Amino acid sequence: MTHHEHPDAALIRRGYEAFSAGDTETLAAMMTSDCTHHVPGESLISGHYKGRDNVLGGYYAKLAELTGGTFRVELKGVFVDGRGHAITAHRFHADRGDRGIEMDGGLFFTLVGDKISDIDECVADIVEADSFWGQGA
């Protein structure tokens, strides 16, 4: 069987590769200026990061800072509907202080004009994720 990857799936794969490489320039080019990343739970990282600069310089920078650069993600799959939506499944790993976390999660993307406009994040265990990241103010 031949596998033909949809352009939306290819875009999301490139985004995961850029994220893993710390390539914020490529990520910025892939997002709309008003892109929003929604992070579940009630932790230090939870909330709605509105605007490309806030997603990159706020949320993604906070992930790196809180984990001393140990945060990494392993993409398991990308699923698209051909109408501007993509869902991913991944496993993320990080260390923070004397704790570590390894958990399944996923992202739901909305794409507009071949750019990411919205990202909704889901995790396998919100309570455990909140415990790892620490409680927000």
PDB file of all heavy atoms in Angstrom, residues 27-38 48-56 110-113 115-119:
ATOM      1  N   LEU A  27       8.927  27.799  13.223  1.00  0.00           N
ATOM      2  CA  LEU A  27       7.620  27.746  13.879  1.00  0.00           C
ATOM      3  C   LEU A  27       6.846  29.044  13.670  1.00  0.00           C
ATOM      4  O   LEU A  27       5.654  29.017  13.363  1.00  0.00           O
ATOM      5  CB  LEU A  27       7.779  27.479  15.375  1.00  0.00           C
ATOM      6  CG  LEU A  27       8.147  26.061  15.771  1.00  0.00           C
ATOM      7  CD1 LEU A  27       8.469  25.991  17.261  1.00  0.00           C
ATOM      8  CD2 LEU A  27       7.028  25.092  15.425  1.00  0.00           C
ATOM      9  N   ALA A  28       7.520  30.171  13.819  1.00  0.00           N
ATOM     10  CA  ALA A  28       6.857  31.466  13.636  1.00  0.00           C
ATOM     11  C   ALA A  28       6.287  31.592  12.234  1.00  0.00           C
ATOM     12  O   ALA A  28       5.167  32.085  12.043  1.00  0.00           O
ATOM     13  CB  ALA A  28       7.829  32.607  13.923  1.00  0.00           C
ATOM     14  N   ALA A  29       7.022  31.130  11.242  1.00  0.00           N
ATOM     15  CA  ALA A  29       6.574  31.216   9.856  1.00  0.00           C
ATOM     16  C   ALA A  29       5.379  30.306   9.588  1.00  0.00           C
ATOM     17  O   ALA A  29       4.631  30.535   8.635  1.00  0.00           O
ATOM     18  CB  ALA A  29       7.720  30.868   8.912  1.00  0.00           C
ATOM     19  N   MET A  30       5.178  29.300  10.433  1.00  0.00           N
ATOM     20  CA  MET A  30       4.093  28.344  10.244  1.00  0.00           C
ATOM     21  C   MET A  30       2.799  28.773  10.932  1.00  0.00           C
ATOM     22  O   MET A  30       1.759  28.144  10.738  1.00  0.00           O
ATOM     23  CB  MET A  30       4.504  26.972  10.790  1.00  0.00           C
ATOM     24  CG  MET A  30       5.712  26.387  10.102  1.00  0.00           C
ATOM     25  SD  MET A  30       6.255  24.874  10.886  1.00  0.00           S
ATOM     26  CE  MET A  30       5.015  23.758  10.266  1.00  0.00           C
ATOM     27  N   MET A  31       2.859  29.827  11.753  1.00  0.00           N
ATOM     28  CA  MET A  31       1.705  30.253  12.552  1.00  0.00           C
ATOM     29  C   MET A  31       1.140  31.567  12.044  1.00  0.00           C
ATOM     30  O   MET A  31       1.885  32.430  11.580  1.00  0.00           O
ATOM     31  CB  MET A  31       2.125  30.459  14.010  1.00  0.00           C
ATOM     32  CG  MET A  31       2.592  29.235  14.715  1.00  0.00           C
ATOM     33  SD  MET A  31       3.146  29.678  16.389  1.00  0.00           S
ATOM     34  CE  MET A  31       3.525  28.064  17.037  1.00  0.00           C
ATOM     35  N   THR A  32      -0.182  31.722  12.200  1.00  0.00           N
ATOM     36  CA  THR A  32      -0.783  33.034  11.952  1.00  0.00           C
ATOM     37  C   THR A  32      -0.346  33.968  13.078  1.00  0.00           C
ATOM     38  O   THR A  32       0.037  33.507  14.163  1.00  0.00           O
ATOM     39  CB  THR A  32      -2.325  32.947  11.919  1.00  0.00           C
ATOM     40  OG1 THR A  32      -2.788  32.476  13.193  1.00  0.00           O
ATOM     41  CG2 THR A  32      -2.823  32.036  10.798  1.00  0.00           C
ATOM     42  N   SER A  33      -0.396  35.262  12.842  1.00  0.00           N
ATOM     43  CA  SER A  33       0.048  36.218  13.871  1.00  0.00           C
ATOM     44  C   SER A  33      -0.817  36.145  15.128  1.00  0.00           C
ATOM     45  O   SER A  33      -0.345  36.422  16.222  1.00  0.00           O
ATOM     46  CB  SER A  33       0.060  37.642  13.318  1.00  0.00           C
ATOM     47  OG  SER A  33      -1.250  38.033  12.950  1.00  0.00           O
ATOM     48  N   ASP A  34      -2.083  35.748  14.976  1.00  0.00           N
ATOM     49  CA  ASP A  34      -2.978  35.662  16.124  1.00  0.00           C
ATOM     50  C   ASP A  34      -3.184  34.225  16.613  1.00  0.00           C
ATOM     51  O   ASP A  34      -4.141  33.937  17.337  1.00  0.00           O
ATOM     52  CB  ASP A  34      -4.324  36.301  15.803  1.00  0.00           C
ATOM     53  CG  ASP A  34      -5.069  35.593  14.687  1.00  0.00           C
ATOM     54  OD1 ASP A  34      -4.465  34.768  13.961  1.00  0.00           O
ATOM     55  OD2 ASP A  34      -6.281  35.874  14.528  1.00  0.00           O
ATOM     56  N   CYS A  35      -2.275  33.349  16.262  1.00  0.00           N
ATOM     57  CA  CYS A  35      -2.351  31.943  16.678  1.00  0.00           C
ATOM     58  C   CYS A  35      -2.526  31.860  18.196  1.00  0.00           C
ATOM     59  O   CYS A  35      -1.933  32.649  18.941  1.00  0.00           O
ATOM     60  CB  CYS A  35      -1.070  31.207  16.262  1.00  0.00           C
ATOM     61  SG  CYS A  35      -1.047  29.466  16.727  1.00  0.00           S
ATOM     62  N   THR A  36      -3.339  30.922  18.642  1.00  0.00           N
ATOM     63  CA  THR A  36      -3.561  30.713  20.070  1.00  0.00           C
ATOM     64  C   THR A  36      -3.273  29.252  20.416  1.00  0.00           C
ATOM     65  O   THR A  36      -3.675  28.357  19.690  1.00  0.00           O
ATOM     66  CB  THR A  36      -5.013  31.058  20.459  1.00  0.00           C
ATOM     67  OG1 THR A  36      -5.282  32.409  20.088  1.00  0.00           O
ATOM     68  CG2 THR A  36      -5.237  30.900  21.954  1.00  0.00           C
ATOM     69  N   HIS A  37      -2.564  29.044  21.524  1.00  0.00           N
ATOM     70  CA  HIS A  37      -2.300  27.698  22.041  1.00  0.00           C
ATOM     71  C   HIS A  37      -2.999  27.606  23.393  1.00  0.00           C
ATOM     72  O   HIS A  37      -2.713  28.369  24.305  1.00  0.00           O
ATOM     73  CB  HIS A  37      -0.800  27.462  22.191  1.00  0.00           C
ATOM     74  CG  HIS A  37      -0.444  26.040  22.448  1.00  0.00           C
ATOM     75  ND1 HIS A  37       0.534  25.389  21.756  1.00  0.00           N
ATOM     76  CD2 HIS A  37      -0.924  25.126  23.333  1.00  0.00           C
ATOM     77  CE1 HIS A  37       0.646  24.144  22.181  1.00  0.00           C
ATOM     78  NE2 HIS A  37      -0.234  23.969  23.147  1.00  0.00           N
ATOM     79  N   HIS A  38      -3.919  26.654  23.513  1.00  0.00           N
ATOM     80  CA  HIS A  38      -4.699  26.435  24.734  1.00  0.00           C
ATOM     81  C   HIS A  38      -4.094  25.266  25.498  1.00  0.00           C
ATOM     82  O   HIS A  38      -3.982  24.165  24.964  1.00  0.00           O
ATOM     83  CB  HIS A  38      -6.158  26.107  24.385  1.00  0.00           C
ATOM     84  CG  HIS A  38      -6.770  27.079  23.436  1.00  0.00           C
ATOM     85  ND1 HIS A  38      -7.343  28.263  23.849  1.00  0.00           N
ATOM     86  CD2 HIS A  38      -6.888  27.043  22.087  1.00  0.00           C
ATOM     87  CE1 HIS A  38      -7.803  28.913  22.793  1.00  0.00           C
ATOM     88  NE2 HIS A  38      -7.534  28.196  21.703  1.00  0.00           N
ATOM     89  N   HIS A  48      -4.351  30.239  28.079  1.00  0.00           N
ATOM     90  CA  HIS A  48      -4.512  30.535  26.657  1.00  0.00           C
ATOM     91  C   HIS A  48      -3.429  31.520  26.244  1.00  0.00           C
ATOM     92  O   HIS A  48      -3.400  32.651  26.736  1.00  0.00           O
ATOM     93  CB  HIS A  48      -5.902  31.122  26.392  1.00  0.00           C
ATOM     94  CG  HIS A  48      -6.995  30.271  26.944  1.00  0.00           C
ATOM     95  ND1 HIS A  48      -7.429  29.127  26.320  1.00  0.00           N
ATOM     96  CD2 HIS A  48      -7.721  30.372  28.089  1.00  0.00           C
ATOM     97  CE1 HIS A  48      -8.387  28.562  27.037  1.00  0.00           C
ATOM     98  NE2 HIS A  48      -8.577  29.302  28.119  1.00  0.00           N
ATOM     99  N   TYR A  49      -2.540  31.085  25.379  1.00  0.00           N
ATOM    100  CA  TYR A  49      -1.434  31.908  24.900  1.00  0.00           C
ATOM    101  C   TYR A  49      -1.845  32.461  23.543  1.00  0.00           C
ATOM    102  O   TYR A  49      -1.822  31.765  22.543  1.00  0.00           O
ATOM    103  CB  TYR A  49      -0.150  31.087  24.810  1.00  0.00           C
ATOM    104  CG  TYR A  49       0.311  30.590  26.156  1.00  0.00           C
ATOM    105  CD1 TYR A  49      -0.213  29.423  26.709  1.00  0.00           C
ATOM    106  CD2 TYR A  49       1.250  31.300  26.894  1.00  0.00           C
ATOM    107  CE1 TYR A  49       0.191  28.975  27.959  1.00  0.00           C
ATOM    108  CE2 TYR A  49       1.666  30.860  28.143  1.00  0.00           C
ATOM    109  CZ  TYR A  49       1.125  29.693  28.669  1.00  0.00           C
ATOM    110  OH  TYR A  49       1.532  29.248  29.908  1.00  0.00           O
ATOM    111  N   LYS A  50      -2.259  33.717  23.517  1.00  0.00           N
ATOM    112  CA  LYS A  50      -2.817  34.344  22.319  1.00  0.00           C
ATOM    113  C   LYS A  50      -1.740  35.155  21.612  1.00  0.00           C
ATOM    114  O   LYS A  50      -1.081  35.992  22.223  1.00  0.00           O
ATOM    115  CB  LYS A  50      -3.987  35.243  22.710  1.00  0.00           C
ATOM    116  CG  LYS A  50      -4.594  36.009  21.585  1.00  0.00           C
ATOM    117  CD  LYS A  50      -5.735  35.254  20.980  1.00  0.00           C
ATOM    118  CE  LYS A  50      -6.473  36.150  19.997  1.00  0.00           C
ATOM    119  NZ  LYS A  50      -6.941  35.460  18.850  1.00  0.00           N
ATOM    120  N   GLY A  51      -1.568  34.892  20.322  1.00  0.00           N
ATOM    121  CA  GLY A  51      -0.583  35.597  19.516  1.00  0.00           C
ATOM    122  C   GLY A  51       0.681  34.774  19.354  1.00  0.00           C
ATOM    123  O   GLY A  51       1.157  34.165  20.315  1.00  0.00           O
ATOM    124  N   ARG A  52       1.192  34.754  18.142  1.00  0.00           N
ATOM    125  CA  ARG A  52       2.385  33.958  17.817  1.00  0.00           C
ATOM    126  C   ARG A  52       3.538  34.245  18.775  1.00  0.00           C
ATOM    127  O   ARG A  52       4.189  33.321  19.267  1.00  0.00           O
ATOM    128  CB  ARG A  52       2.791  34.254  16.372  1.00  0.00           C
ATOM    129  CG  ARG A  52       4.056  33.590  15.922  1.00  0.00           C
ATOM    130  CD  ARG A  52       4.363  33.885  14.464  1.00  0.00           C
ATOM    131  NE  ARG A  52       4.227  35.288  14.153  1.00  0.00           N
ATOM    132  CZ  ARG A  52       3.645  35.772  13.048  1.00  0.00           C
ATOM    133  NH1 ARG A  52       3.168  34.956  12.132  1.00  0.00           N
ATOM    134  NH2 ARG A  52       3.554  37.051  12.851  1.00  0.00           N
ATOM    135  N   ASP A  53       3.792  35.514  19.073  1.00  0.00           N
ATOM    136  CA  ASP A  53       4.912  35.856  19.955  1.00  0.00           C
ATOM    137  C   ASP A  53       4.698  35.322  21.369  1.00  0.00           C
ATOM    138  O   ASP A  53       5.647  34.902  22.028  1.00  0.00           O
ATOM    139  CB  ASP A  53       5.132  37.367  19.984  1.00  0.00           C
ATOM    140  CG  ASP A  53       5.617  37.905  18.653  1.00  0.00           C
ATOM    141  OD1 ASP A  53       6.125  37.113  17.820  1.00  0.00           O
ATOM    142  OD2 ASP A  53       5.478  39.126  18.420  1.00  0.00           O
ATOM    143  N   ASN A  54       3.456  35.326  21.838  1.00  0.00           N
ATOM    144  CA  ASN A  54       3.157  34.810  23.174  1.00  0.00           C
ATOM    145  C   ASN A  54       3.246  33.283  23.212  1.00  0.00           C
ATOM    146  O   ASN A  54       3.667  32.710  24.206  1.00  0.00           O
ATOM    147  CB  ASN A  54       1.775  35.290  23.625  1.00  0.00           C
ATOM    148  CG  ASN A  54       1.584  35.175  25.118  1.00  0.00           C
ATOM    149  OD1 ASN A  54       2.529  35.178  25.894  1.00  0.00           O
ATOM    150  ND2 ASN A  54       0.337  35.057  25.523  1.00  0.00           N
ATOM    151  N   VAL A  55       2.852  32.621  22.127  1.00  0.00           N
ATOM    152  CA  VAL A  55       2.986  31.159  22.059  1.00  0.00           C
ATOM    153  C   VAL A  55       4.466  30.786  22.106  1.00  0.00           C
ATOM    154  O   VAL A  55       4.886  29.947  22.904  1.00  0.00           O
ATOM    155  CB  VAL A  55       2.322  30.593  20.778  1.00  0.00           C
ATOM    156  CG1 VAL A  55       2.652  29.114  20.606  1.00  0.00           C
ATOM    157  CG2 VAL A  55       0.812  30.806  20.804  1.00  0.00           C
ATOM    158  N   LEU A  56       5.258  31.432  21.266  1.00  0.00           N
ATOM    159  CA  LEU A  56       6.682  31.094  21.171  1.00  0.00           C
ATOM    160  C   LEU A  56       7.483  31.605  22.369  1.00  0.00           C
ATOM    161  O   LEU A  56       8.242  30.853  22.990  1.00  0.00           O
ATOM    162  CB  LEU A  56       7.268  31.656  19.881  1.00  0.00           C
ATOM    163  CG  LEU A  56       6.682  31.099  18.583  1.00  0.00           C
ATOM    164  CD1 LEU A  56       7.198  31.894  17.387  1.00  0.00           C
ATOM    165  CD2 LEU A  56       6.992  29.636  18.437  1.00  0.00           C
ATOM    166  N   THR A 110      -6.094  23.825  14.191  1.00  0.00           N
ATOM    167  CA  THR A 110      -6.922  24.446  13.168  1.00  0.00           C
ATOM    168  C   THR A 110      -5.974  25.189  12.248  1.00  0.00           C
ATOM    169  O   THR A 110      -5.117  25.953  12.705  1.00  0.00           O
ATOM    170  CB  THR A 110      -7.951  25.421  13.777  1.00  0.00           C
ATOM    171  OG1 THR A 110      -8.776  24.695  14.695  1.00  0.00           O
ATOM    172  CG2 THR A 110      -8.817  26.049  12.695  1.00  0.00           C
ATOM    173  N   LEU A 111      -6.104  24.925  10.946  1.00  0.00           N
ATOM    174  CA  LEU A 111      -5.229  25.522   9.941  1.00  0.00           C
ATOM    175  C   LEU A 111      -6.043  26.471   9.070  1.00  0.00           C
ATOM    176  O   LEU A 111      -7.155  26.147   8.653  1.00  0.00           O
ATOM    177  CB  LEU A 111      -4.597  24.433   9.076  1.00  0.00           C
ATOM    178  CG  LEU A 111      -3.875  23.317   9.840  1.00  0.00           C
ATOM    179  CD1 LEU A 111      -3.491  22.187   8.905  1.00  0.00           C
ATOM    180  CD2 LEU A 111      -2.672  23.860  10.560  1.00  0.00           C
ATOM    181  N   VAL A 112      -5.460  27.634   8.805  1.00  0.00           N
ATOM    182  CA  VAL A 112      -6.085  28.626   7.937  1.00  0.00           C
ATOM    183  C   VAL A 112      -5.026  29.099   6.953  1.00  0.00           C
ATOM    184  O   VAL A 112      -3.977  29.593   7.369  1.00  0.00           O
ATOM    185  CB  VAL A 112      -6.646  29.817   8.745  1.00  0.00           C
ATOM    186  CG1 VAL A 112      -7.181  30.888   7.819  1.00  0.00           C
ATOM    187  CG2 VAL A 112      -7.718  29.353   9.721  1.00  0.00           C
ATOM    188  N   GLY A 113      -5.293  28.926   5.656  1.00  0.00           N
ATOM    189  CA  GLY A 113      -4.330  29.378   4.651  1.00  0.00           C
ATOM    190  C   GLY A 113      -2.968  28.745   4.804  1.00  0.00           C
ATOM    191  O   GLY A 113      -1.951  29.422   4.710  1.00  0.00           O
ATOM    192  N   LYS A 115      -1.486  27.786   7.415  1.00  0.00           N
ATOM    193  CA  LYS A 115      -0.800  28.195   8.648  1.00  0.00           C
ATOM    194  C   LYS A 115      -1.611  27.719   9.841  1.00  0.00           C
ATOM    195  O   LYS A 115      -2.834  27.564   9.767  1.00  0.00           O
ATOM    196  CB  LYS A 115      -0.623  29.712   8.698  1.00  0.00           C
ATOM    197  CG  LYS A 115       0.380  30.218   7.684  1.00  0.00           C
ATOM    198  CD  LYS A 115       0.779  31.645   8.005  1.00  0.00           C
ATOM    199  CE  LYS A 115       1.758  32.128   6.967  1.00  0.00           C
ATOM    200  NZ  LYS A 115       3.071  32.293   7.506  1.00  0.00           N
ATOM    201  N   ILE A 116      -0.926  27.524  10.938  1.00  0.00           N
ATOM    202  CA  ILE A 116      -1.579  27.094  12.186  1.00  0.00           C
ATOM    203  C   ILE A 116      -2.200  28.319  12.838  1.00  0.00           C
ATOM    204  O   ILE A 116      -1.512  29.306  13.114  1.00  0.00           O
ATOM    205  CB  ILE A 116      -0.552  26.442  13.130  1.00  0.00           C
ATOM    206  CG1 ILE A 116       0.054  25.204  12.467  1.00  0.00           C
ATOM    207  CG2 ILE A 116      -1.187  26.120  14.470  1.00  0.00           C
ATOM    208  CD1 ILE A 116       1.323  24.693  13.151  1.00  0.00           C
ATOM    209  N   SER A 117      -3.517  28.245  13.100  1.00  0.00           N
ATOM    210  CA  SER A 117      -4.188  29.386  13.730  1.00  0.00           C
ATOM    211  C   SER A 117      -4.633  29.085  15.154  1.00  0.00           C
ATOM    212  O   SER A 117      -4.877  30.009  15.931  1.00  0.00           O
ATOM    213  CB  SER A 117      -5.391  29.837  12.897  1.00  0.00           C
ATOM    214  OG  SER A 117      -6.405  28.858  12.927  1.00  0.00           O
ATOM    215  N   ASP A 118      -4.757  27.805  15.493  1.00  0.00           N
ATOM    216  CA  ASP A 118      -5.231  27.461  16.824  1.00  0.00           C
ATOM    217  C   ASP A 118      -4.706  26.073  17.185  1.00  0.00           C
ATOM    218  O   ASP A 118      -4.692  25.176  16.345  1.00  0.00           O
ATOM    219  CB  ASP A 118      -6.764  27.458  16.860  1.00  0.00           C
ATOM    220  CG  ASP A 118      -7.315  27.537  18.267  1.00  0.00           C
ATOM    221  OD1 ASP A 118      -7.277  28.637  18.855  1.00  0.00           O
ATOM    222  OD2 ASP A 118      -7.773  26.505  18.783  1.00  0.00           O
ATOM    223  N   ILE A 119      -4.288  25.923  18.448  1.00  0.00           N
ATOM    224  CA  ILE A 119      -3.783  24.646  18.944  1.00  0.00           C
ATOM    225  C   ILE A 119      -4.449  24.376  20.292  1.00  0.00           C
ATOM    226  O   ILE A 119      -4.312  25.170  21.221  1.00  0.00           O
ATOM    227  CB  ILE A 119      -2.250  24.667  19.141  1.00  0.00           C
ATOM    228  CG1 ILE A 119      -1.531  25.118  17.875  1.00  0.00           C
ATOM    229  CG2 ILE A 119      -1.756  23.304  19.612  1.00  0.00           C
ATOM    230  CD1 ILE A 119      -0.065  25.481  18.088  1.00  0.00           C
TER     231      ILE A 119
END
